[in-house]
Amino acid sequence: MTAIPMEHGLALAAALFVLGLVGVLARRNIVFVLMSIEIMLNAAGVAFVVAGARWGAADGQVMFLFILATAAAEVAVGLALVLQLYHRFRTVDADAASKMRG
Amino acid sequence: MAYIFYISAAVAVVATLLVVTRTHAVHALLYLVVSLLAVAMVFVTLGAPLVAALEVIIYAGAILVLFVFVIMMLNLGAPSVERERAWLAPSAWVGPTILCLILLAELLYVAASGGGAEVAEAATVGPKEVGQALFGPYVLGVELAGMLLLAGLVGGYHLGRREALETGPEEGPP
C-alpha cells in the first residue's frame, strides 16, 4: 500500500456499513433488506482487505474469501425465503410475516 | 494512484446511497453492481488483485444474478411490454452509466499511463500468497466454508420446493 492512509480505507468501510445498516432499518421491502445485508457484508470485507494491505499480509484477503462464501450461502437461503414469503402472502413487505405459528 | 482510490471510494459511497434510496428494485440492483465494481477498483489500488477479481466475478457476477432471477420471478404475470419500456426510461440508466463512465475513465487513465507496473509495485499481496495462506493455516476454515455452502445449497433447495410453496410445511410430507 503506497500513499493511502489506513484511516481513509476504514472510513470507506464504515460509510458503506452505515449505509447498509440504514437500509436494513429503514426499508420494509425484504429484497432491499437482503441487498443492504450484502452491502454490510461487503463493507466488513473492505475493512479486512484494508487491514491486510496495511500490514502487507494475506490474512485479510483470506478473511474476505470466507465472507464471500458466507454471503453466497446467506443470499441463497434468503432469496428462497423471499420466494416463500411472496407465494404465501403475495407481497414482499417484511411486516406481512410478523405472526409466528407453531 | 492515491486519487484513483478516492474517486472510486466516492463512486462506491454515492452508488450505495442510491441503492438504499431507490424505490424500484431493478434500479437499486444497477446501482449495487456499480458500487461493487467501484469497491473492486478500491481493492486494486490497495494491492489486492485476487480479491478484486473475485468481487467482480462472484459478487457482481453470481450473487446479483440471483437477485435478478428472484426479481424476475416476483414480477410474473405483469404486462411485460410496458414494464420493459418503463425500465428503459433514461432516468433508470443515466445514473449508473455516469458512475460507470467515471470508473472507465480511471481504468483508461491507468492503462494509458503505464500504470500496470505502478500497481504491481504497490506492495501487492498476490494470488500466490493468498492461496498459500488459504490452504496452509486456514485449511480448516476452507473445510468449514465448504460445509456452509453445502448447508446453504440444501437449505435453498428445501425452502424453494414447489410442494412447500403450495401446502406449507405443517401439512406437507415429512
Side-chain angles (χ1 to χ4, degrees):
Chain A
M1 180 161 147
T2 50
I4 302 152
M6 184 189 180
E7 290 80 11
H8 295 176
L10 290 181
L12 170 66
L16 291 178
F17 189 88
V18 168
L19 283 171
L21 186 61
V22 167
V24 169
L25 294 177
R27 301 303 294 255
R28 287 170 61 201
N29 189 334
I30 197 165
V31 178
F32 280 89
V33 172
L34 273 177
M35 274 192 237
S36 303
I37 291 173
E38 291 298 313
I39 292 169
M40 290 165 71
L41 283 170
N42 194 34
V46 171
F48 270 116
V49 173
V50 168
R54 164 66 180 78
W55 282 281
D59 304 66
Q61 300 189 38
V62 171
M63 286 300 159
F64 184 85
L65 295 185
F66 291 153
I67 289 176
L68 208 59
T70 312
E74 176 261 332
V75 81
V77 176
L79 287 174
L81 282 173
V82 169
L83 287 179
Q84 281 282 343
L85 183 81
Y86 184 73
H87 282 283
R88 199 160 294 188
F89 297 102
R90 289 286 141 195
T91 177
V92 285
D93 185 357
D95 289 348
S98 59
K99 288 189 178 62
M100 291 180 73
R101 288 182 301 160
Chain B
M1 243 13 236
Y3 51 89
I4 289 184
F5 169 82
Y6 292 114
I7 295 170
S8 303
V11 169
V13 170
V14 168
T16 308
L17 183 65
L18 289 167
V19 170
V20 176
T21 55
R22 288 304 94 181
T23 54
H24 203 301
V26 177
H27 301 175
L29 272 179
L30 275 177
Y31 281 113
L32 189 51
V33 170
V34 175
S35 167
L36 294 174
L37 292 179
V39 170
M41 198 77 175
V42 166
F43 286 160
V44 170
T45 63
L46 287 174
L50 175 69
V51 162
L54 287 178
E55 174 98 5
V56 174
I57 294 169
I58 296 180
Y59 254 118
I63 292 180
L64 291 192
V65 167
L66 275 181
F67 274 103
V68 171
F69 279 156
V70 167
I71 288 171
M72 282 165 59
M73 291 174 77
L74 295 186
N75 277 331
L76 281 180
S80 65
V81 177
E82 290 83 6
R83 196 178 64 215
E84 292 296 328
R85 192 170 293 130
W87 284 359
L88 275 180
S91 61
W93 52 263
V94 163
T97 308
I98 290 172
L99 293 175
C100 275
L101 282 178
I102 296 173
L103 290 179
L104 177 65
E106 285 181 359
L107 192 64
L108 290 178
Y109 167 75
V110 172
S113 65
E118 197 179 349
V119 170
E121 284 169 10
T124 303
V125 180
K128 188 178 172 188
E129 289 89 345
V130 177
Q132 281 173 345
L134 197 59
F135 288 97
Y138 288 104
V139 67
L140 186 63
V142 175
E143 305 265 348
L144 288 174
M147 288 177 64
L148 178 69
L149 286 173
L150 179 63
L153 176 69
V154 173
Y157 175 71
H158 177 75
L159 289 171
R161 280 179 313 154
R162 181 56 62 182
E163 60 264 30
L165 293 179
E166 283 162 1
T167 61
E170 58 270 11
E171 294 97 6

PDB file of all heavy atoms in Angstrom, chain A residues 3 19-20 38-39 44 46 95:
ATOM      1  N   ALA A   3       0.274   5.277  -0.731  1.00  0.00           N
ATOM      2  CA  ALA A   3       0.074   6.581  -0.114  1.00  0.00           C
ATOM      3  C   ALA A   3      -1.266   6.698   0.579  1.00  0.00           C
ATOM      4  O   ALA A   3      -1.553   7.737   1.158  1.00  0.00           O
ATOM      5  CB  ALA A   3       0.197   7.683  -1.165  1.00  0.00           C
ATOM      6  N   LEU A  19     -24.381   2.835   5.601  1.00  0.00           N
ATOM      7  CA  LEU A  19     -25.421   2.912   4.575  1.00  0.00           C
ATOM      8  C   LEU A  19     -26.222   1.610   4.515  1.00  0.00           C
ATOM      9  O   LEU A  19     -27.456   1.626   4.401  1.00  0.00           O
ATOM     10  CB  LEU A  19     -24.790   3.202   3.221  1.00  0.00           C
ATOM     11  CG  LEU A  19     -24.372   4.652   3.001  1.00  0.00           C
ATOM     12  CD1 LEU A  19     -23.565   4.774   1.734  1.00  0.00           C
ATOM     13  CD2 LEU A  19     -25.594   5.528   2.912  1.00  0.00           C
ATOM     14  N   GLY A  20     -25.529   0.468   4.617  1.00  0.00           N
ATOM     15  CA  GLY A  20     -26.243  -0.803   4.636  1.00  0.00           C
ATOM     16  C   GLY A  20     -27.133  -0.939   5.857  1.00  0.00           C
ATOM     17  O   GLY A  20     -28.249  -1.446   5.771  1.00  0.00           O
ATOM     18  N   GLU A  38     -26.159  -7.519   2.097  1.00  0.00           N
ATOM     19  CA  GLU A  38     -24.999  -7.743   1.225  1.00  0.00           C
ATOM     20  C   GLU A  38     -24.028  -6.578   1.305  1.00  0.00           C
ATOM     21  O   GLU A  38     -22.809  -6.763   1.340  1.00  0.00           O
ATOM     22  CB  GLU A  38     -25.467  -7.922  -0.218  1.00  0.00           C
ATOM     23  CG  GLU A  38     -26.215  -9.191  -0.471  1.00  0.00           C
ATOM     24  CD  GLU A  38     -25.349 -10.397  -0.211  1.00  0.00           C
ATOM     25  OE1 GLU A  38     -24.213 -10.413  -0.686  1.00  0.00           O
ATOM     26  OE2 GLU A  38     -25.815 -11.304   0.485  1.00  0.00           O
ATOM     27  N   ILE A  39     -24.569  -5.344   1.331  1.00  0.00           N
ATOM     28  CA  ILE A  39     -23.701  -4.163   1.421  1.00  0.00           C
ATOM     29  C   ILE A  39     -22.900  -4.192   2.716  1.00  0.00           C
ATOM     30  O   ILE A  39     -21.699  -3.897   2.738  1.00  0.00           O
ATOM     31  CB  ILE A  39     -24.547  -2.879   1.320  1.00  0.00           C
ATOM     32  CG1 ILE A  39     -25.133  -2.735  -0.076  1.00  0.00           C
ATOM     33  CG2 ILE A  39     -23.720  -1.656   1.653  1.00  0.00           C
ATOM     34  CD1 ILE A  39     -26.173  -1.673  -0.170  1.00  0.00           C
ATOM     35  N   ALA A  44     -17.711  -5.041   5.580  1.00  0.00           N
ATOM     36  CA  ALA A  44     -16.819  -5.751   6.505  1.00  0.00           C
ATOM     37  C   ALA A  44     -15.627  -6.345   5.762  1.00  0.00           C
ATOM     38  O   ALA A  44     -14.481  -6.298   6.242  1.00  0.00           O
ATOM     39  CB  ALA A  44     -17.600  -6.854   7.217  1.00  0.00           C
ATOM     40  N   VAL A  46     -14.314  -5.078   3.054  1.00  0.00           N
ATOM     41  CA  VAL A  46     -13.427  -3.949   2.738  1.00  0.00           C
ATOM     42  C   VAL A  46     -12.516  -3.652   3.923  1.00  0.00           C
ATOM     43  O   VAL A  46     -11.307  -3.437   3.758  1.00  0.00           O
ATOM     44  CB  VAL A  46     -14.258  -2.704   2.355  1.00  0.00           C
ATOM     45  CG1 VAL A  46     -13.360  -1.490   2.243  1.00  0.00           C
ATOM     46  CG2 VAL A  46     -14.959  -2.917   1.044  1.00  0.00           C
ATOM     47  N   ASP A  95     -43.154  -6.784   6.948  1.00  0.00           N
ATOM     48  CA  ASP A  95     -44.077  -6.743   8.070  1.00  0.00           C
ATOM     49  C   ASP A  95     -45.251  -7.706   7.899  1.00  0.00           C
ATOM     50  O   ASP A  95     -45.978  -7.952   8.861  1.00  0.00           O
ATOM     51  CB  ASP A  95     -44.619  -5.321   8.253  1.00  0.00           C
ATOM     52  CG  ASP A  95     -43.555  -4.392   8.779  1.00  0.00           C
ATOM     53  OD1 ASP A  95     -42.512  -4.910   9.210  1.00  0.00           O
ATOM     54  OD2 ASP A  95     -43.754  -3.175   8.739  1.00  0.00           O
TER      55      ASP A  95
END
